[in-house]
């Protein structure tokens, strides 16, 4: 229990970092799909804008997962 409680802030930071890295790639993808000449290729092959990840806002989703070792 003590180890899990001490590790939780690090896990949340890693998740936030991964979400930000994903959103950076999505932003680059969406921008390149709207610029010439890549927008021509994107429209020909049916590429669509990707959705970004967002942090959860409900308390129920933010509850820590219980793990028994």
């Amino acid at each position: 229990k003590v180890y899990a409680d001490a590790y939780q802030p690090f896990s949340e930071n890693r998740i936030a970092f991964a979400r930000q890295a994903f959103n950076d790639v999505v932003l680059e993808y969406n921008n390149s799909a709207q610029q010439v000449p890549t927008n021509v290729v994107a429209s020909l092959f049916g590429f669509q804008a990707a959705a970004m990840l967002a942090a959860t806002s409900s308390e129920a989703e933010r509850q820590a997962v219980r793990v028994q070792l």
Side-chain angles (χ1 to χ4, degrees):
K1 170 103 174 114
V2 173
Y3 177 74
D5 290 341
Y7 189 69
Q8 183 179 357
F10 297 111
S11 297
E12 291 175 4
N13 289 341
R14 291 176 66 187
I15 291 169
F17 180 80
R19 181 176 52 245
Q20 184 61 48
F22 178 85
N23 286 342
D24 289 345
V25 172
V26 167
L27 181 64
E28 184 178 340
Y29 166 80
N30 288 341
N31 287 342
S32 66
Q34 295 174 359
Q35 295 175 350
V36 175
T38 54
N39 65 340
V40 175
V41 175
S43 65
L44 284 174
F45 290 101
F47 292 134
Q48 297 179 358
M52 294 199 177
L53 293 176
T56 59
S57 58
S58 83
E59 258 323 294
E61 292 176 340
R62 294 184 57 84
Q63 292 298 320
V65 177
R66 298 289 177 197
V67 177
Q68 292 183 351
L69 303 174

